[in-house]
Amino acid sequence: MAATLMEGEALAARIRAEVADDVRELGGMTLATVLVGDDPASHLYIGLKHRAAREAGIEPIDHRLPAETTQDELLELIAGLNADDRVDGILPQLPLPPQIDEAAIIRAVDPERDVDGLHPFNAGQLYLGRPTLVPATPLGIIALLDEYRVRLERARAVVVGRSDIVGKPVAHLLLQANATVAICHSRTADLAAETRRADVLVVAAGVPALVAADMVKPGAAVVDVGQNRTDAGLVGDVDSAAAEVAALLTPVPGGVGPLTIAMLLRNTVRAARFRRGSLAFPAA
Ligand code: NAD
């Protein structure tokens, strides 16, 4: 029997509508984005983020810098945004050009306005089980699993991928939801043996069809985060034949993707509440 598809569009639209209500209630807000260089995918993502922000009543503040921008120039811009009281959220679009140390830029963003949830303070809070601002894609994954009533407590969850933006944070959110969690990566000895044990399998590796149907436990819930541009179009990390084995599976596109931007907007509301005092931000 074919798996039920965990579609993200409808849930994302609902979240965006909630965000629009919150933004109205709070009297508007702003999201500053910083794009360095001319990576076409980054330009596309920034465009999508701006459009979604505007639709929710969030005013984007658009900063674009040339590819040869130095680290000091970028740090100066971030310091200016941190000092600007009109700015509710700050998002440096990644990846940054090679002459810039990404970690230094992430560290420079005011943790209260770090809507990507990547600042070491926010990452540490998540590690401690006291989430403040959490990366958007992992939040979207958990929201989608919740929407489809996937039980996490007592489940064995396996995450493939250990990036700071998807793999590690989603593993922590799953742990917080009382799943028993394993994290696999490119040096895992026997990936198939690990994934076959997963009641909940989250794959964020960026490798087309990395997870074949026979690597999926029958009846599992499978979240395919991968977005790989191939000659055949956009494909995920999970082979489409897995739909015959899993009970639930996210489509690519249309699964996790739409939730990422919705959760970024929700993070912007959260950041605005932190700064305006209606939500307490723990001392850094
Ligand atoms: P990344 O390249 O930073 O990390 C990939 C991870 O996968 C690494 O930890 C690596 O160890 C692991 N990996 C690579 N090859 C592997 C293999 N053969 N076996 C086991 N593990 C392997 O990537 P990322 O930023 O985490 O993104 C992962 C994928 O998710 C990409 O396709 C990306 O486009 C997609 N993505 C989608 C969204 C969305 O909104 N849907 C958001 C972020 C990322």
mmCIF file with all atom_site columns, all heavy atoms in Angstrom, residues 45 137 160-163 165-167 184-186 191 204-207 210 225-228 237 256-257 260, ligand 1:
data_model
loop_
_atom_site.group_PDB
_atom_site.id
_atom_site.type_symbol
_atom_site.label_atom_id
_atom_site.label_alt_id
_atom_site.label_comp_id
_atom_site.label_asym_id
_atom_site.label_entity_id
_atom_site.label_seq_id
_atom_site.pdbx_PDB_ins_code
_atom_site.Cartn_x
_atom_site.Cartn_y
_atom_site.Cartn_z
_atom_site.occupancy
_atom_site.B_iso_or_equiv
_atom_site.pdbx_formal_charge
_atom_site.auth_seq_id
_atom_site.auth_comp_id
_atom_site.auth_asym_id
_atom_site.auth_atom_id
_atom_site.pdbx_PDB_model_num
ATOM   1   N N   . TYR A 1 45  ? 16.137 32.178 -2.827 1.00 0.00 ? 45  TYR A N   1
ATOM   2   C CA  . TYR A 1 45  ? 15.629 32.001 -1.460 1.00 0.00 ? 45  TYR A CA  1
ATOM   3   C C   . TYR A 1 45  ? 15.272 33.343 -0.822 1.00 0.00 ? 45  TYR A C   1
ATOM   4   O O   . TYR A 1 45  ? 14.237 33.471 -0.174 1.00 0.00 ? 45  TYR A O   1
ATOM   5   C CB  . TYR A 1 45  ? 16.659 31.267 -0.577 1.00 0.00 ? 45  TYR A CB  1
ATOM   6   C CG  . TYR A 1 45  ? 16.898 29.829 -0.980 1.00 0.00 ? 45  TYR A CG  1
ATOM   7   C CD1 . TYR A 1 45  ? 18.160 29.253 -0.888 1.00 0.00 ? 45  TYR A CD1 1
ATOM   8   C CD2 . TYR A 1 45  ? 15.864 29.043 -1.465 1.00 0.00 ? 45  TYR A CD2 1
ATOM   9   C CE1 . TYR A 1 45  ? 18.389 27.935 -1.270 1.00 0.00 ? 45  TYR A CE1 1
ATOM   10  C CE2 . TYR A 1 45  ? 16.082 27.726 -1.857 1.00 0.00 ? 45  TYR A CE2 1
ATOM   11  C CZ  . TYR A 1 45  ? 17.343 27.186 -1.755 1.00 0.00 ? 45  TYR A CZ  1
ATOM   12  O OH  . TYR A 1 45  ? 17.561 25.892 -2.141 1.00 0.00 ? 45  TYR A OH  1
ATOM   13  N N   . THR A 1 137 ? 13.862 24.915 9.513  1.00 0.00 ? 137 THR A N   1
ATOM   14  C CA  . THR A 1 137 ? 13.540 23.618 8.891  1.00 0.00 ? 137 THR A CA  1
ATOM   15  C C   . THR A 1 137 ? 13.246 22.547 9.954  1.00 0.00 ? 137 THR A C   1
ATOM   16  O O   . THR A 1 137 ? 12.237 21.848 9.844  1.00 0.00 ? 137 THR A O   1
ATOM   17  C CB  . THR A 1 137 ? 14.666 23.190 7.919  1.00 0.00 ? 137 THR A CB  1
ATOM   18  O OG1 . THR A 1 137 ? 14.818 24.222 6.943  1.00 0.00 ? 137 THR A OG1 1
ATOM   19  C CG2 . THR A 1 137 ? 14.349 21.888 7.227  1.00 0.00 ? 137 THR A CG2 1
ATOM   20  N N   . VAL A 1 160 ? 19.442 11.270 9.422  1.00 0.00 ? 160 VAL A N   1
ATOM   21  C CA  . VAL A 1 160 ? 20.600 11.118 8.537  1.00 0.00 ? 160 VAL A CA  1
ATOM   22  C C   . VAL A 1 160 ? 21.072 12.520 8.159  1.00 0.00 ? 160 VAL A C   1
ATOM   23  O O   . VAL A 1 160 ? 20.350 13.265 7.505  1.00 0.00 ? 160 VAL A O   1
ATOM   24  C CB  . VAL A 1 160 ? 20.250 10.291 7.282  1.00 0.00 ? 160 VAL A CB  1
ATOM   25  C CG1 . VAL A 1 160 ? 21.489 10.122 6.395  1.00 0.00 ? 160 VAL A CG1 1
ATOM   26  C CG2 . VAL A 1 160 ? 19.676 8.930  7.675  1.00 0.00 ? 160 VAL A CG2 1
ATOM   27  N N   . GLY A 1 161 ? 22.265 12.885 8.587  1.00 0.00 ? 161 GLY A N   1
ATOM   28  C CA  . GLY A 1 161 ? 22.809 14.228 8.367  1.00 0.00 ? 161 GLY A CA  1
ATOM   29  C C   . GLY A 1 161 ? 23.036 14.903 9.705  1.00 0.00 ? 161 GLY A C   1
ATOM   30  O O   . GLY A 1 161 ? 22.219 14.775 10.615 1.00 0.00 ? 161 GLY A O   1
ATOM   31  N N   . ARG A 1 162 ? 24.154 15.609 9.831  1.00 0.00 ? 162 ARG A N   1
ATOM   32  C CA  . ARG A 1 162 ? 24.490 16.248 11.112 1.00 0.00 ? 162 ARG A CA  1
ATOM   33  C C   . ARG A 1 162 ? 24.866 17.713 10.923 1.00 0.00 ? 162 ARG A C   1
ATOM   34  O O   . ARG A 1 162 ? 25.765 18.226 11.578 1.00 0.00 ? 162 ARG A O   1
ATOM   35  C CB  . ARG A 1 162 ? 25.615 15.485 11.807 1.00 0.00 ? 162 ARG A CB  1
ATOM   36  C CG  . ARG A 1 162 ? 26.872 15.379 10.964 1.00 0.00 ? 162 ARG A CG  1
ATOM   37  C CD  . ARG A 1 162 ? 28.016 14.780 11.761 1.00 0.00 ? 162 ARG A CD  1
ATOM   38  N NE  . ARG A 1 162 ? 29.054 14.300 10.873 1.00 0.00 ? 162 ARG A NE  1
ATOM   39  C CZ  . ARG A 1 162 ? 30.130 13.654 11.275 1.00 0.00 ? 162 ARG A CZ  1
ATOM   40  N NH1 . ARG A 1 162 ? 30.316 13.408 12.554 1.00 0.00 ? 162 ARG A NH1 1
ATOM   41  N NH2 . ARG A 1 162 ? 31.035 13.248 10.416 1.00 0.00 ? 162 ARG A NH2 1
ATOM   42  N N   . SER A 1 163 ? 24.185 18.395 9.993  1.00 0.00 ? 163 SER A N   1
ATOM   43  C CA  . SER A 1 163 ? 24.494 19.820 9.803  1.00 0.00 ? 163 SER A CA  1
ATOM   44  C C   . SER A 1 163 ? 23.938 20.630 10.971 1.00 0.00 ? 163 SER A C   1
ATOM   45  O O   . SER A 1 163 ? 23.034 20.186 11.686 1.00 0.00 ? 163 SER A O   1
ATOM   46  C CB  . SER A 1 163 ? 23.887 20.328 8.493  1.00 0.00 ? 163 SER A CB  1
ATOM   47  O OG  . SER A 1 163 ? 22.488 20.388 8.597  1.00 0.00 ? 163 SER A OG  1
ATOM   48  N N   . ILE A 1 165 ? 22.231 23.245 10.675 1.00 0.00 ? 165 ILE A N   1
ATOM   49  C CA  . ILE A 1 165 ? 20.964 23.890 10.303 1.00 0.00 ? 165 ILE A CA  1
ATOM   50  C C   . ILE A 1 165 ? 19.797 22.901 10.236 1.00 0.00 ? 165 ILE A C   1
ATOM   51  O O   . ILE A 1 165 ? 18.644 23.279 10.401 1.00 0.00 ? 165 ILE A O   1
ATOM   52  C CB  . ILE A 1 165 ? 21.140 24.678 8.979  1.00 0.00 ? 165 ILE A CB  1
ATOM   53  C CG1 . ILE A 1 165 ? 19.957 25.586 8.673  1.00 0.00 ? 165 ILE A CG1 1
ATOM   54  C CG2 . ILE A 1 165 ? 21.389 23.805 7.803  1.00 0.00 ? 165 ILE A CG2 1
ATOM   55  C CD1 . ILE A 1 165 ? 20.348 27.018 8.572  1.00 0.00 ? 165 ILE A CD1 1
ATOM   56  N N   . VAL A 1 166 ? 20.090 21.606 10.010 1.00 0.00 ? 166 VAL A N   1
ATOM   57  C CA  . VAL A 1 166 ? 19.001 20.618 9.957  1.00 0.00 ? 166 VAL A CA  1
ATOM   58  C C   . VAL A 1 166 ? 19.268 19.433 10.900 1.00 0.00 ? 166 VAL A C   1
ATOM   59  O O   . VAL A 1 166 ? 18.537 19.232 11.880 1.00 0.00 ? 166 VAL A O   1
ATOM   60  C CB  . VAL A 1 166 ? 18.736 20.079 8.524  1.00 0.00 ? 166 VAL A CB  1
ATOM   61  C CG1 . VAL A 1 166 ? 17.469 19.221 8.521  1.00 0.00 ? 166 VAL A CG1 1
ATOM   62  C CG2 . VAL A 1 166 ? 18.609 21.192 7.494  1.00 0.00 ? 166 VAL A CG2 1
ATOM   63  N N   . GLY A 1 167 ? 20.286 18.638 10.601 1.00 0.00 ? 167 GLY A N   1
ATOM   64  C CA  . GLY A 1 167 ? 20.471 17.365 11.299 1.00 0.00 ? 167 GLY A CA  1
ATOM   65  C C   . GLY A 1 167 ? 20.562 17.491 12.809 1.00 0.00 ? 167 GLY A C   1
ATOM   66  O O   . GLY A 1 167 ? 19.783 16.868 13.546 1.00 0.00 ? 167 GLY A O   1
ATOM   67  N N   . CYS A 1 184 ? 22.984 9.769  12.092 1.00 0.00 ? 184 CYS A N   1
ATOM   68  C CA  . CYS A 1 184 ? 23.901 9.127  11.141 1.00 0.00 ? 184 CYS A CA  1
ATOM   69  C C   . CYS A 1 184 ? 24.510 10.200 10.241 1.00 0.00 ? 184 CYS A C   1
ATOM   70  O O   . CYS A 1 184 ? 23.958 11.283 10.087 1.00 0.00 ? 184 CYS A O   1
ATOM   71  C CB  . CYS A 1 184 ? 23.148 8.141  10.261 1.00 0.00 ? 184 CYS A CB  1
ATOM   72  S SG  . CYS A 1 184 ? 22.300 6.863  11.198 1.00 0.00 ? 184 CYS A SG  1
ATOM   73  N N   . HIS A 1 185 ? 25.628 9.868  9.625  1.00 0.00 ? 185 HIS A N   1
ATOM   74  C CA  . HIS A 1 185 ? 26.349 10.843 8.796  1.00 0.00 ? 185 HIS A CA  1
ATOM   75  C C   . HIS A 1 185 ? 27.211 10.094 7.796  1.00 0.00 ? 185 HIS A C   1
ATOM   76  O O   . HIS A 1 185 ? 27.125 8.862  7.691  1.00 0.00 ? 185 HIS A O   1
ATOM   77  C CB  . HIS A 1 185 ? 27.176 11.763 9.698  1.00 0.00 ? 185 HIS A CB  1
ATOM   78  C CG  . HIS A 1 185 ? 27.898 11.021 10.770 1.00 0.00 ? 185 HIS A CG  1
ATOM   79  N ND1 . HIS A 1 185 ? 29.055 10.336 10.518 1.00 0.00 ? 185 HIS A ND1 1
ATOM   80  C CD2 . HIS A 1 185 ? 27.569 10.790 12.068 1.00 0.00 ? 185 HIS A CD2 1
ATOM   81  C CE1 . HIS A 1 185 ? 29.446 9.740  11.627 1.00 0.00 ? 185 HIS A CE1 1
ATOM   82  N NE2 . HIS A 1 185 ? 28.553 9.997  12.590 1.00 0.00 ? 185 HIS A NE2 1
ATOM   83  N N   . SER A 1 186 ? 28.066 10.837 7.093  1.00 0.00 ? 186 SER A N   1
ATOM   84  C CA  . SER A 1 186 ? 28.819 10.226 5.992  1.00 0.00 ? 186 SER A CA  1
ATOM   85  C C   . SER A 1 186 ? 29.824 9.182  6.477  1.00 0.00 ? 186 SER A C   1
ATOM   86  O O   . SER A 1 186 ? 30.301 8.377  5.683  1.00 0.00 ? 186 SER A O   1
ATOM   87  C CB  . SER A 1 186 ? 29.530 11.311 5.185  1.00 0.00 ? 186 SER A CB  1
ATOM   88  O OG  . SER A 1 186 ? 30.295 12.119 6.055  1.00 0.00 ? 186 SER A OG  1
ATOM   89  N N   . LEU A 1 191 ? 24.814 2.402  7.246  1.00 0.00 ? 191 LEU A N   1
ATOM   90  C CA  . LEU A 1 191 ? 23.658 3.311  7.251  1.00 0.00 ? 191 LEU A CA  1
ATOM   91  C C   . LEU A 1 191 ? 22.337 2.532  7.180  1.00 0.00 ? 191 LEU A C   1
ATOM   92  O O   . LEU A 1 191 ? 21.396 2.827  7.919  1.00 0.00 ? 191 LEU A O   1
ATOM   93  C CB  . LEU A 1 191 ? 23.780 4.299  6.077  1.00 0.00 ? 191 LEU A CB  1
ATOM   94  C CG  . LEU A 1 191 ? 22.701 5.372  5.997  1.00 0.00 ? 191 LEU A CG  1
ATOM   95  C CD1 . LEU A 1 191 ? 22.737 6.290  7.210  1.00 0.00 ? 191 LEU A CD1 1
ATOM   96  C CD2 . LEU A 1 191 ? 22.844 6.186  4.706  1.00 0.00 ? 191 LEU A CD2 1
ATOM   97  N N   . ALA A 1 204 ? 18.383 14.249 5.811  1.00 0.00 ? 204 ALA A N   1
ATOM   98  C CA  . ALA A 1 204 ? 18.845 15.578 5.381  1.00 0.00 ? 204 ALA A CA  1
ATOM   99  C C   . ALA A 1 204 ? 20.317 15.478 5.023  1.00 0.00 ? 204 ALA A C   1
ATOM   100 O O   . ALA A 1 204 ? 21.194 15.952 5.743  1.00 0.00 ? 204 ALA A O   1
ATOM   101 C CB  . ALA A 1 204 ? 18.628 16.607 6.482  1.00 0.00 ? 204 ALA A CB  1
ATOM   102 N N   . ALA A 1 205 ? 20.594 14.823 3.890  1.00 0.00 ? 205 ALA A N   1
ATOM   103 C CA  . ALA A 1 205 ? 21.984 14.579 3.488  1.00 0.00 ? 205 ALA A CA  1
ATOM   104 C C   . ALA A 1 205 ? 22.350 15.329 2.208  1.00 0.00 ? 205 ALA A C   1
ATOM   105 O O   . ALA A 1 205 ? 23.520 15.615 1.968  1.00 0.00 ? 205 ALA A O   1
ATOM   106 C CB  . ALA A 1 205 ? 22.208 13.087 3.298  1.00 0.00 ? 205 ALA A CB  1
ATOM   107 N N   . GLY A 1 206 ? 21.369 15.632 1.374  1.00 0.00 ? 206 GLY A N   1
ATOM   108 C CA  . GLY A 1 206 ? 21.672 16.281 0.101  1.00 0.00 ? 206 GLY A CA  1
ATOM   109 C C   . GLY A 1 206 ? 22.259 15.310 -0.910 1.00 0.00 ? 206 GLY A C   1
ATOM   110 O O   . GLY A 1 206 ? 23.070 15.690 -1.742 1.00 0.00 ? 206 GLY A O   1
ATOM   111 N N   . VAL A 1 207 ? 21.835 14.036 -0.837 1.00 0.00 ? 207 VAL A N   1
ATOM   112 C CA  . VAL A 1 207 ? 22.300 13.007 -1.775 1.00 0.00 ? 207 VAL A CA  1
ATOM   113 C C   . VAL A 1 207 ? 21.067 12.332 -2.392 1.00 0.00 ? 207 VAL A C   1
ATOM   114 O O   . VAL A 1 207 ? 20.332 11.641 -1.684 1.00 0.00 ? 207 VAL A O   1
ATOM   115 C CB  . VAL A 1 207 ? 23.157 11.934 -1.056 1.00 0.00 ? 207 VAL A CB  1
ATOM   116 C CG1 . VAL A 1 207 ? 23.654 10.889 -2.047 1.00 0.00 ? 207 VAL A CG1 1
ATOM   117 C CG2 . VAL A 1 207 ? 24.324 12.582 -0.311 1.00 0.00 ? 207 VAL A CG2 1
ATOM   118 N N   . LEU A 1 210 ? 19.599 8.573  -1.620 1.00 0.00 ? 210 LEU A N   1
ATOM   119 C CA  . LEU A 1 210 ? 20.519 7.932  -0.655 1.00 0.00 ? 210 LEU A CA  1
ATOM   120 C C   . LEU A 1 210 ? 19.806 6.809  0.100  1.00 0.00 ? 210 LEU A C   1
ATOM   121 O O   . LEU A 1 210 ? 20.384 5.750  0.345  1.00 0.00 ? 210 LEU A O   1
ATOM   122 C CB  . LEU A 1 210 ? 21.021 8.988  0.342  1.00 0.00 ? 210 LEU A CB  1
ATOM   123 C CG  . LEU A 1 210 ? 21.861 8.473  1.513  1.00 0.00 ? 210 LEU A CG  1
ATOM   124 C CD1 . LEU A 1 210 ? 23.182 7.895  1.004  1.00 0.00 ? 210 LEU A CD1 1
ATOM   125 C CD2 . LEU A 1 210 ? 22.127 9.584  2.525  1.00 0.00 ? 210 LEU A CD2 1
ATOM   126 N N   . VAL A 1 225 ? 14.085 15.610 3.690  1.00 0.00 ? 225 VAL A N   1
ATOM   127 C CA  . VAL A 1 225 ? 14.404 17.045 3.704  1.00 0.00 ? 225 VAL A CA  1
ATOM   128 C C   . VAL A 1 225 ? 15.176 17.443 2.443  1.00 0.00 ? 225 VAL A C   1
ATOM   129 O O   . VAL A 1 225 ? 15.213 18.600 2.053  1.00 0.00 ? 225 VAL A O   1
ATOM   130 C CB  . VAL A 1 225 ? 15.223 17.405 4.963  1.00 0.00 ? 225 VAL A CB  1
ATOM   131 C CG1 . VAL A 1 225 ? 15.398 18.909 5.094  1.00 0.00 ? 225 VAL A CG1 1
ATOM   132 C CG2 . VAL A 1 225 ? 14.547 16.859 6.218  1.00 0.00 ? 225 VAL A CG2 1
ATOM   133 N N   . GLY A 1 226 ? 15.769 16.474 1.785  1.00 0.00 ? 226 GLY A N   1
ATOM   134 C CA  . GLY A 1 226 ? 16.660 16.741 0.645  1.00 0.00 ? 226 GLY A CA  1
ATOM   135 C C   . GLY A 1 226 ? 15.983 17.543 -0.454 1.00 0.00 ? 226 GLY A C   1
ATOM   136 O O   . GLY A 1 226 ? 14.798 17.355 -0.750 1.00 0.00 ? 226 GLY A O   1
ATOM   137 N N   . GLN A 1 227 ? 16.754 18.465 -1.008 1.00 0.00 ? 227 GLN A N   1
ATOM   138 C CA  . GLN A 1 227 ? 16.282 19.231 -2.170 1.00 0.00 ? 227 GLN A CA  1
ATOM   139 C C   . GLN A 1 227 ? 17.435 19.239 -3.144 1.00 0.00 ? 227 GLN A C   1
ATOM   140 O O   . GLN A 1 227 ? 18.331 20.085 -3.050 1.00 0.00 ? 227 GLN A O   1
ATOM   141 C CB  . GLN A 1 227 ? 15.916 20.648 -1.767 1.00 0.00 ? 227 GLN A CB  1
ATOM   142 C CG  . GLN A 1 227 ? 14.710 20.696 -0.845 1.00 0.00 ? 227 GLN A CG  1
ATOM   143 C CD  . GLN A 1 227 ? 14.051 22.057 -0.797 1.00 0.00 ? 227 GLN A CD  1
ATOM   144 O OE1 . GLN A 1 227 ? 14.732 23.068 -0.735 1.00 0.00 ? 227 GLN A OE1 1
ATOM   145 N NE2 . GLN A 1 227 ? 12.749 22.087 -0.828 1.00 0.00 ? 227 GLN A NE2 1
ATOM   146 N N   . ASN A 1 228 ? 17.419 18.287 -4.041 1.00 0.00 ? 228 ASN A N   1
ATOM   147 C CA  . ASN A 1 228 ? 18.543 18.146 -4.973 1.00 0.00 ? 228 ASN A CA  1
ATOM   148 C C   . ASN A 1 228 ? 18.078 18.471 -6.390 1.00 0.00 ? 228 ASN A C   1
ATOM   149 O O   . ASN A 1 228 ? 17.107 17.884 -6.867 1.00 0.00 ? 228 ASN A O   1
ATOM   150 C CB  . ASN A 1 228 ? 19.064 16.702 -4.921 1.00 0.00 ? 228 ASN A CB  1
ATOM   151 C CG  . ASN A 1 228 ? 19.366 16.254 -3.498 1.00 0.00 ? 228 ASN A CG  1
ATOM   152 O OD1 . ASN A 1 228 ? 20.257 16.792 -2.848 1.00 0.00 ? 228 ASN A OD1 1
ATOM   153 N ND2 . ASN A 1 228 ? 18.602 15.285 -2.986 1.00 0.00 ? 228 ASN A ND2 1
ATOM   154 N N   . ASP A 1 237 ? 16.139 13.015 -0.924 1.00 0.00 ? 237 ASP A N   1
ATOM   155 C CA  . ASP A 1 237 ? 17.208 12.076 -0.561 1.00 0.00 ? 237 ASP A CA  1
ATOM   156 C C   . ASP A 1 237 ? 16.679 10.644 -0.444 1.00 0.00 ? 237 ASP A C   1
ATOM   157 O O   . ASP A 1 237 ? 17.443 9.726  -0.177 1.00 0.00 ? 237 ASP A O   1
ATOM   158 C CB  . ASP A 1 237 ? 17.815 12.467 0.801  1.00 0.00 ? 237 ASP A CB  1
ATOM   159 C CG  . ASP A 1 237 ? 18.620 13.755 0.734  1.00 0.00 ? 237 ASP A CG  1
ATOM   160 O OD1 . ASP A 1 237 ? 18.853 14.262 -0.375 1.00 0.00 ? 237 ASP A OD1 1
ATOM   161 O OD2 . ASP A 1 237 ? 19.028 14.242 1.804  1.00 0.00 ? 237 ASP A OD2 1
ATOM   162 N N   . VAL A 1 256 ? 8.471  19.270 3.372  1.00 0.00 ? 256 VAL A N   1
ATOM   163 C CA  . VAL A 1 256 ? 9.114  20.132 4.370  1.00 0.00 ? 256 VAL A CA  1
ATOM   164 C C   . VAL A 1 256 ? 9.349  21.560 3.832  1.00 0.00 ? 256 VAL A C   1
ATOM   165 O O   . VAL A 1 256 ? 9.242  22.534 4.581  1.00 0.00 ? 256 VAL A O   1
ATOM   166 C CB  . VAL A 1 256 ? 10.477 19.528 4.795  1.00 0.00 ? 256 VAL A CB  1
ATOM   167 C CG1 . VAL A 1 256 ? 11.204 20.437 5.764  1.00 0.00 ? 256 VAL A CG1 1
ATOM   168 C CG2 . VAL A 1 256 ? 10.280 18.149 5.405  1.00 0.00 ? 256 VAL A CG2 1
ATOM   169 N N   . GLY A 1 257 ? 9.651  21.657 2.539  1.00 0.00 ? 257 GLY A N   1
ATOM   170 C CA  . GLY A 1 257 ? 10.035 22.942 1.942  1.00 0.00 ? 257 GLY A CA  1
ATOM   171 C C   . GLY A 1 257 ? 9.135  24.108 2.343  1.00 0.00 ? 257 GLY A C   1
ATOM   172 O O   . GLY A 1 257 ? 9.622  25.110 2.873  1.00 0.00 ? 257 GLY A O   1
ATOM   173 N N   . THR A 1 260 ? 9.535  25.591 5.909  1.00 0.00 ? 260 THR A N   1
ATOM   174 C CA  . THR A 1 260 ? 10.747 26.300 6.322  1.00 0.00 ? 260 THR A CA  1
ATOM   175 C C   . THR A 1 260 ? 10.501 27.811 6.367  1.00 0.00 ? 260 THR A C   1
ATOM   176 O O   . THR A 1 260 ? 10.810 28.469 7.366  1.00 0.00 ? 260 THR A O   1
ATOM   177 C CB  . THR A 1 260 ? 11.907 25.944 5.375  1.00 0.00 ? 260 THR A CB  1
ATOM   178 O OG1 . THR A 1 260 ? 12.210 24.558 5.571  1.00 0.00 ? 260 THR A OG1 1
ATOM   179 C CG2 . THR A 1 260 ? 13.153 26.760 5.678  1.00 0.00 ? 260 THR A CG2 1
HETATM 180 P P1  . NAD B 2 .   ? 24.951 19.635 4.592  1.00 0.00 ? 1   NAD B P1  1
HETATM 181 O O1  . NAD B 2 .   ? 25.678 19.360 3.329  1.00 0.00 ? 1   NAD B O1  1
HETATM 182 O O2  . NAD B 2 .   ? 25.386 20.757 5.468  1.00 0.00 ? 1   NAD B O2  1
HETATM 183 O O3  . NAD B 2 .   ? 24.953 18.320 5.488  1.00 0.00 ? 1   NAD B O3  1
HETATM 184 C C1  . NAD B 2 .   ? 24.739 17.068 4.912  1.00 0.00 ? 1   NAD B C1  1
HETATM 185 C C2  . NAD B 2 .   ? 24.899 16.008 5.967  1.00 0.00 ? 1   NAD B C2  1
HETATM 186 O O4  . NAD B 2 .   ? 24.607 14.750 5.363  1.00 0.00 ? 1   NAD B O4  1
HETATM 187 C C3  . NAD B 2 .   ? 26.299 15.906 6.558  1.00 0.00 ? 1   NAD B C3  1
HETATM 188 O O5  . NAD B 2 .   ? 26.211 15.906 7.956  1.00 0.00 ? 1   NAD B O5  1
HETATM 189 C C4  . NAD B 2 .   ? 26.851 14.587 6.044  1.00 0.00 ? 1   NAD B C4  1
HETATM 190 O O6  . NAD B 2 .   ? 27.607 13.887 7.018  1.00 0.00 ? 1   NAD B O6  1
HETATM 191 C C5  . NAD B 2 .   ? 25.592 13.804 5.713  1.00 0.00 ? 1   NAD B C5  1
HETATM 192 N N1  . NAD B 2 .   ? 25.817 12.913 4.573  1.00 0.00 ? 1   NAD B N1  1
HETATM 193 C C6  . NAD B 2 .   ? 26.306 13.256 3.346  1.00 0.00 ? 1   NAD B C6  1
HETATM 194 N N2  . NAD B 2 .   ? 26.441 12.147 2.594  1.00 0.00 ? 1   NAD B N2  1
HETATM 195 C C7  . NAD B 2 .   ? 26.041 11.100 3.343  1.00 0.00 ? 1   NAD B C7  1
HETATM 196 C C8  . NAD B 2 .   ? 25.964 9.704  3.118  1.00 0.00 ? 1   NAD B C8  1
HETATM 197 N N3  . NAD B 2 .   ? 26.329 9.179  1.953  1.00 0.00 ? 1   NAD B N3  1
HETATM 198 N N4  . NAD B 2 .   ? 25.521 8.936  4.121  1.00 0.00 ? 1   NAD B N4  1
HETATM 199 C C9  . NAD B 2 .   ? 25.146 9.464  5.317  1.00 0.00 ? 1   NAD B C9  1
HETATM 200 N N5  . NAD B 2 .   ? 25.197 10.778 5.572  1.00 0.00 ? 1   NAD B N5  1
HETATM 201 C C10 . NAD B 2 .   ? 25.638 11.592 4.605  1.00 0.00 ? 1   NAD B C10 1
HETATM 202 O O7  . NAD B 2 .   ? 23.418 19.785 4.165  1.00 0.00 ? 1   NAD B O7  1
HETATM 203 P P2  . NAD B 2 .   ? 22.133 20.468 4.881  1.00 0.00 ? 1   NAD B P2  1
HETATM 204 O O8  . NAD B 2 .   ? 22.247 21.929 4.819  1.00 0.00 ? 1   NAD B O8  1
HETATM 205 O O9  . NAD B 2 .   ? 21.855 19.797 6.176  1.00 0.00 ? 1   NAD B O9  1
HETATM 206 O O10 . NAD B 2 .   ? 21.019 20.041 3.838  1.00 0.00 ? 1   NAD B O10 1
HETATM 207 C C11 . NAD B 2 .   ? 20.709 18.687 3.578  1.00 0.00 ? 1   NAD B C11 1
HETATM 208 C C12 . NAD B 2 .   ? 19.686 18.596 2.474  1.00 0.00 ? 1   NAD B C12 1
HETATM 209 O O11 . NAD B 2 .   ? 18.501 19.232 2.928  1.00 0.00 ? 1   NAD B O11 1
HETATM 210 C C13 . NAD B 2 .   ? 20.068 19.310 1.187  1.00 0.00 ? 1   NAD B C13 1
HETATM 211 O O12 . NAD B 2 .   ? 19.531 18.604 0.090  1.00 0.00 ? 1   NAD B O12 1
HETATM 212 C C14 . NAD B 2 .   ? 19.393 20.651 1.315  1.00 0.00 ? 1   NAD B C14 1
HETATM 213 O O13 . NAD B 2 .   ? 19.099 21.230 0.051  1.00 0.00 ? 1   NAD B O13 1
HETATM 214 C C15 . NAD B 2 .   ? 18.135 20.250 2.032  1.00 0.00 ? 1   NAD B C15 1
HETATM 215 N N6  . NAD B 2 .   ? 17.524 21.340 2.803  1.00 0.00 ? 1   NAD B N6  1
HETATM 216 C C16 . NAD B 2 .   ? 16.207 21.532 2.620  1.00 0.00 ? 1   NAD B C16 1
HETATM 217 C C17 . NAD B 2 .   ? 15.556 22.499 3.333  1.00 0.00 ? 1   NAD B C17 1
HETATM 218 C C18 . NAD B 2 .   ? 14.093 22.676 3.124  1.00 0.00 ? 1   NAD B C18 1
HETATM 219 O O14 . NAD B 2 .   ? 13.559 23.703 3.454  1.00 0.00 ? 1   NAD B O14 1
HETATM 220 N N7  . NAD B 2 .   ? 13.401 21.671 2.618  1.00 0.00 ? 1   NAD B N7  1
HETATM 221 C C19 . NAD B 2 .   ? 16.253 23.306 4.234  1.00 0.00 ? 1   NAD B C19 1
HETATM 222 C C20 . NAD B 2 .   ? 17.613 23.065 4.435  1.00 0.00 ? 1   NAD B C20 1
HETATM 223 C C21 . NAD B 2 .   ? 18.237 22.059 3.706  1.00 0.00 ? 1   NAD B C21 1
#
